């Protein structure tokens, strides 16, 4: 493209722009101005070009202009925008925001380009607000009327567009007259006009109407006002093209008028007039204060309070505050707001809040402005987020109120803010803490029940399948007792972490309390998804945990409740899951059971059984009986096993295996164990010897009782109180108890051995037998379960297994006892295999303590 064509294109492009665009050459002479510039500044394009650009700039702004030009000469990209005053053809100055661009190398331009935007109105509003503030300070500091009026006039004359400000008092001497008392600006105008009331035309003018009616009046163009034809020449001479007059009162009396003149037609619009009315009222108040000495003290106090409130509510207030125009541009801001968002006052002034608002919250302020402008509300309160300079998110509570003039028009907005970031953060933390377990960070029971209720409501609206899984850590008490509660807490955290890893993102995992966890699953396609999750949970816990630098295996039992329709009470689902969990425990733990309706009836039976058992123990209706243990080689009774049996009112005699599950889950097992142990020791003390040797007593101890650190001390105390030789007591534990924690089990066994008490292992061969564990525990006797004895009669494999177990025990020099011996043939086969002792119906059922003594005495005399 040729340079000529580029220049035509450039001029065509900028000629229609609504912004000011001008070009000046290297010597800073104008070479081009567009029509918008000419219209704003009021000069002829052909005449003004080639003039020095500084001839249009206000002398006070020369330094700023030269600095900006130096920046644009040094850098092709130019400097930042800045504001300066440009002189119009009428001699007035307009505030213009300028941006300079270096286009010397552009053929179409070959100069520096000025882009300008008239900001006189915004500047006026900001300075008018400042004038109100300064006016209050003037009122507070004035000591006499003339000083007050002179300071007010000077302050008003500093505002852009105001060429003359003066105050006149009404006098009623020979002729009614307005006498100028103070002025600032082009005061020569006052010397050339007659302000007498005898002048009819003057009486009908803007000042006369204001004095007569007590209402502010405005004349937009003096040259178009017929009432002021005599003053057209003087007004044009001084460039005073528009005016406004505002009444000054003392009490109800009009004492004078505040008059302002501007060089712009229509300068005194509604917004400016409203601000000036407020100032006129302030001046009236100040005059009244100075005139009434008695009222002076009271009013000074009120003014002082007002000023203090003003300062506290704005600049000196710790609360962030700002004023904005109708387009949300900031016209005043205090330091607290600047500190809140991290920007300086200069960076905030003149910009709207979108520049500092968090992107997702843009639109909140704009919506509030529309509601206020439409009078839908009188005040807006809302919460929004700001983007701090350092990147932080600031949450603020905003109160936005409109400032209106007497006619109800909005002049500007007053905004008060409160930084609630820490408060919201704390509230979120408290809310999180209220709904989450402090140890594991999982949802707590309250949050889970809320989610369960929501799932119930969704179930009522739509079909689907939901599930609750109740997870219980098997024998968690072992970890606490063995390694301490701190290690137990660490184990809970580690388990929670593994459980979380296998859950779906839509699942709710909760620590229900103690060592129980709950999982809520929604929107399942089938029960297979629950089974898959249960298997993932089992798999996640296969790898041992580490407690006190030792590997520790933790297994879980689970109960599942499924539901595909609304239930009367969502908590029923939790009850069903709990019943299923109990079923898992009663079947040997380490498994997952799905609830079925028949389980509820069984649970009710279990509950009733537990309640009745508790009552029976309180009424001493669970006696300890003794079942003989016989030497298979001699058929002599060598020992008795202590058994707690309960004669139920309707079910008859209940063996230990019938009542122990209920006792285990209800903690009654500890009470039963202690009663059984005490009764056994007391009874054995009364047994007479047979063939020179007194029988010993065997007591089966539950897992909870055996792993109690105080067991050995309690046994020693019982033996001492009843004067029973320790070797006549054998404490029997099940294989499953020994496998829970081999190390702790071995410690307890060592304590009992040191006390002289024998140790027997019950149910060997029925669980996950570990020969290494057996060797580590080294019990005195092995009890072979009755199920294995029966199996030996049914198959060759069973017989082989029984023979292997007996041989193993004999090889380790242990006494082998077989229970459930029902026939002489079974006793003979056991004797042939090398089994030492037998117990069962063949020899005798359980006896009362008195029956045992009678039996032993008969054996002694026979």
């Amino acid at each position: 493209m040729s340079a000529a064509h580029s220049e035509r294109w450039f001029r065509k492009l900028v000629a229609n722009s609504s912004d000011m665009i001008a070009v000046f050459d290297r010597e800073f002479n104008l070479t081009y101005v567009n029509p918008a510039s000419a219209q704003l500044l009021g000069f002829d394009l052909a005449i003004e070009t080639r003039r020095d650009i500084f001839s249009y700039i206000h002398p006070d702004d020369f330094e700023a202009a030269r600095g900006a030009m130096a920046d644009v000469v040094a850098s092709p990209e130019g400097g930042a925008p800045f504001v300066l005053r440009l002189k119009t053809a009428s001699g007035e100055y307009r505030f213009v925001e300028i941006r300079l661009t270096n286009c010397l190398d552009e053929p179409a331009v070959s100069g520096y380009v000025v882009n300008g935007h008239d900001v006189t109105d915004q500047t006026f509003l900001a300075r008018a607000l400042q004038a109100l503030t300064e006016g209050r300070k003037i009122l507070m500091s004035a000591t006499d009327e003339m000083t007050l009026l002179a300071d007010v006039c000077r302050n008003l004359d500093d505002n852009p567009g105001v060429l003359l400000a003066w105050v006149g008092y009404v006098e009623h001497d020979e002729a009614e007259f307005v006498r100028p008392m103070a002025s600032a600006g082009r005061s020569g105008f006052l010397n050339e006009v007659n302000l007498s009331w005898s002048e009819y035309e003057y009486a009908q003018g803007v000042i006369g109407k204001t004095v007569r009616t007590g209402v502010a009046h405005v004349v937009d163009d003096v040259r178009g006002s017929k009432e002021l034809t005599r003053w057209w020449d003087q007004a044009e001479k001084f460039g005073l093209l528009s005016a406004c007059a505002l009444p000054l009162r003392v009490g109800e009396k009009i004492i004078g008028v505040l008059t302002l003149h501007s060089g712009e037609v229509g300068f005194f619009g509604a917004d400016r007039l409203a601000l000036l009315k407020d100032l006129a009222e302030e001046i009236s108040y100040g005059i009244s204060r100075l005139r009434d000495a008695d009222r002076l003290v009271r009013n000074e106090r009120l003014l002082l309070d007002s000023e203090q409130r003003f300062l506290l509510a704005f600049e000196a207030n710790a609360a962030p505050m700002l004023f904005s125009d109708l387009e949300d541009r900031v016209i005043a801001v205090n330091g607290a707001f600047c500190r809140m968002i991290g920007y300086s006052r200069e960076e905030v002034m003149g910009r709207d809040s979108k520049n500092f608002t968090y992107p997702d919250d843009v639109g909140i302020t704009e919506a509030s402005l529309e509601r206020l402008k439409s009078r839908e509300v009188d005040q807006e309160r809302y919460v929004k987020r700001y983007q701090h300079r350092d990147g932080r998110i600031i949450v603020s509570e905003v109160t936005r109120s409109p400032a209106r003039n007497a006619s109800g028009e909005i002049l500007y907005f007053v905004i008060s803010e409160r930084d609630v970031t820490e408060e919201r953060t704390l509230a979120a933390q408290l809310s999180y803490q209220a709904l989450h377990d402090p140890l594991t960070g999982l949802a707590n029971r309250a949050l889970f029940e809320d989610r369960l209720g929501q799932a119930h409501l969704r179930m009522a609206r739509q079909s689907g399948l939901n599930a609750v899984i109740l997870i219980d850590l098997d024998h968690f008490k072992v970890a606490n007792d063995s390694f301490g509660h701190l290690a137990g807490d660490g184990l809970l955290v580690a388990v929670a972490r593994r459980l979380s890893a296998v859950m779906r993102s839509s699942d709710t995992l909760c620590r229900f309390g103690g060592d129980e966890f709950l999982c809520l699953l929604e929107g399942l396609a089938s029960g297979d998804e629950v089974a898959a999750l249960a298997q993932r949970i089992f798999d996640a816990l296969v790898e041992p945990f580490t407690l006190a630098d030792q590997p520790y295996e933790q297994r879980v039992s689970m109960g599942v409740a499924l539901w595909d329709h609304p239930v009367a009470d969502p908590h029923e689902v939790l009850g069903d899951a709990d019943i299923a969990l109990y079923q898992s425990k009663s079947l040997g733990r380490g498994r997952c059971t799905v609830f079925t309706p028949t389980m509820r009836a069984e649970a009710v039976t279990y509950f009733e059984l537990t309640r009745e058992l508790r009552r029976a123990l309180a009424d001493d209706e669970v006696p300890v009986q003794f079942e003989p243990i016989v030497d298979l080689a001699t058929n002599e009774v060598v020992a008795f096993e202590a058994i707690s049996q309960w004669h139920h009112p309707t079910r008859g005699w209940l063996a230990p295996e019938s009542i122990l599950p209920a006792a285990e889950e209800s903690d009654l097992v500890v009470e039963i164990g202690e009663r059984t142990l005490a009764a056994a020791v007391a009874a054995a003390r009364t047994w007479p010897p047979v063939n020179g040797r007194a029988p010993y007593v065997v007591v089966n101890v539950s897992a909870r009782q055996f792993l109690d650190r105080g067991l050995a001390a309690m046994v020693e105390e019982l033996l001492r109180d009843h004067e029973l030789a320790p070797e006549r007591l054998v404490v029997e534990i099940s294989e499953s108890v020994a496998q829970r924690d081999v190390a702790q089990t071995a410690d307890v066994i060592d304590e009992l051995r040191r006390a002289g008490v024998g140790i027997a292992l019950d149910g060997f061969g029925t669980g996950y037998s570990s020969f290494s564990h057996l060797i580590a525990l080294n019990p005195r006797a092995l009890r072979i379960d009755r199920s294995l004895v029966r199996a030996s009669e049914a198959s060759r494999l069973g017989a082989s297994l029984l023979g292997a177990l007996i041989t193993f025990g004999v090889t380790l020099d242990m006494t082998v006892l077989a229970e459930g011996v029902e026939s002489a043939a079974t006793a003979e086969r056991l004797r042939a295999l090398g089994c030492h002792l037998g117990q069962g119906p063949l020899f005798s059922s359980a006896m009362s303590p008195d029956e045992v003594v009678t039996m032993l005495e008969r054996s002694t005399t026979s």
Side-chain angles (χ1 to χ4, degrees), residues 445-678:
R445 183 167 187 159
L447 179 55
F448 184 89
E449 291 184 349
D450 178 71
R451 297 274 177 85
L452 182 64
Q454 294 178 27
H456 175 64
L457 294 175
R458 282 189 287 271
M459 177 68 74
R461 296 192 301 267
Q462 59 194 31
S463 60
L465 178 65
N466 294 349
V468 164
I469 304 179
L470 179 57
I471 307 168
D472 180 80
L473 304 190
D474 293 340
H475 311 303
F476 176 71
K477 188 174 184 297
V478 174
N480 270 338
D481 293 343
S482 302
F483 300 98
H485 287 282
L486 187 60
D489 288 347
L491 178 60
L492 287 171
V493 172
V495 169
R497 190 177 298 117
R498 293 196 192 180
L499 292 178
S500 298
V502 300
M503 297 294 166
R504 304 177 307 172
S505 60
S506 59
D507 299 337
T508 298
L509 179 63
C510 153
R511 184 187 174 200
F512 201 56
D515 59 345
E516 289 187 330
F517 296 84
L518 266 173
C519 182
L520 172 64
L521 296 84
E522 295 186 69
L524 301 172
S526 70
D528 292 341
E529 292 187 60
V530 181
L533 175 59
Q535 187 58 52
R536 291 201 301 272
I537 292 173
F538 285 132
D539 293 343
L541 300 177
V542 167
E543 183 181 349
F545 296 88
T546 301
L547 296 184
D549 297 326
Q550 299 182 39
Y552 183 86
E553 294 184 359
Q554 179 62 65
R555 298 292 179 259
V556 297
S557 299
M558 289 183 276
V560 176
L562 300 170
W563 83 103
D564 58 2
H565 61 280
V567 294
D569 182 358
H571 292 84
E572 290 181 9
V573 178
L574 297 181
D576 294 345
D578 193 37
I579 292 172
L581 174 62
Y582 170 73
Q583 188 76 2
S584 292
K585 291 180 179 179
S586 64
L587 293 175
R589 302 179 187 267
R591 64 186 65 212
C592 179
T593 303
V594 178
F595 173 82
T596 61
T598 58
M599 291 181 186
R600 185 175 291 111
E602 294 172 358
V604 171
T605 301
Y606 159 75
F607 175 78
E608 292 177 350
L609 184 66
T610 303
R611 180 172 53 82
E612 292 172 345
L613 177 59
R614 191 181 302 279
R615 181 195 56 78
L617 286 170
D619 295 341
D620 200 19
E621 295 177 356
V622 186
V624 178
Q625 297 185 312
F626 299 90
E627 186 172 342
I629 298 174
V630 176
D631 186 330
L632 293 176
T634 63
N635 284 329
E636 291 181 356
V637 175
V638 296
F640 291 88
E641 180 182 7
I643 301 172
S644 290
Q645 295 194 105
W646 174 28
H647 189 271
H648 190 273
T650 58
R651 302 182 187 184
W653 283 105
L654 297 180
E657 56 267 24
S658 299
I659 64 175
L660 281 179
E664 283 275 3
E665 295 303 320
S666 63
D667 289 332
L668 292 177
V669 69
V670 176
E671 181 181 350
I672 293 174
E674 292 177 352
R675 291 162 64 112
T676 303
L677 191 57

Side-chain angles (χ1 to χ4, degrees), residues 694-762:
Y696 60 89
V697 64
V698 178
V699 181
N700 191 290
V701 178
S702 69
R704 293 195 184 188
Q705 191 173 10
F706 187 80
L707 295 177
D708 187 338
R709 292 293 189 184
L711 175 63
M714 183 185 71
V715 169
E716 288 183 280
E717 184 178 359
L718 285 172
L719 293 172
R720 186 170 53 252
D721 291 346
H722 292 282
E723 299 179 351
L724 182 70
E727 61 270 16
R728 291 188 59 197
L729 174 64
V730 174
V731 172
E732 191 173 64
I733 61 173
S734 67
E735 183 183 12
S736 61
V737 172
Q739 288 182 335
R740 290 188 187 183
D741 189 319
V742 177
Q744 184 177 356
T745 302
D747 290 344
V748 177
I749 289 176
D750 287 342
E751 291 179 1
L752 292 173
R753 277 207 187 96
R754 286 195 295 270
V757 176
I759 301 297
L761 189 64
D762 182 25

Side-chain angles (χ1 to χ4, degrees), residues 274-350:
L275 289 171
L276 293 172
K277 286 179 180 178
D278 291 342
L279 182 59
E281 291 179 2
E282 296 279 358
I283 296 170
S284 297
Y285 180 80
I287 295 171
S288 299
R289 180 179 63 85
L290 292 170
R291 287 190 174 185
D292 191 341
D294 292 336
R295 197 171 51 195
L296 179 61
V297 175
R298 296 194 305 272
N299 290 344
E300 280 183 341
R301 186 181 298 113
L302 291 174
L303 281 171
L304 179 60
D305 291 343
S306 175
E307 176 67 10
Q308 289 174 342
R309 287 195 299 272
F310 176 78
L311 291 175
L312 289 174
F314 199 72
E315 186 55 49
N317 196 346
M321 294 185 69
L322 61 157
F323 292 80
S324 71
D325 63 16
L326 273 63
E327 303 304 321
D328 197 37
R329 292 185 292 263
V330 178
I331 57 177
V333 61
N334 70 355
F337 182 85
C338 295
R339 289 189 295 273
M340 183 178 78
I341 64 172
Y343 289 89
S344 68
R345 192 187 305 269
E346 291 74 17
E347 292 172 313
V348 175
M349 288 292 294

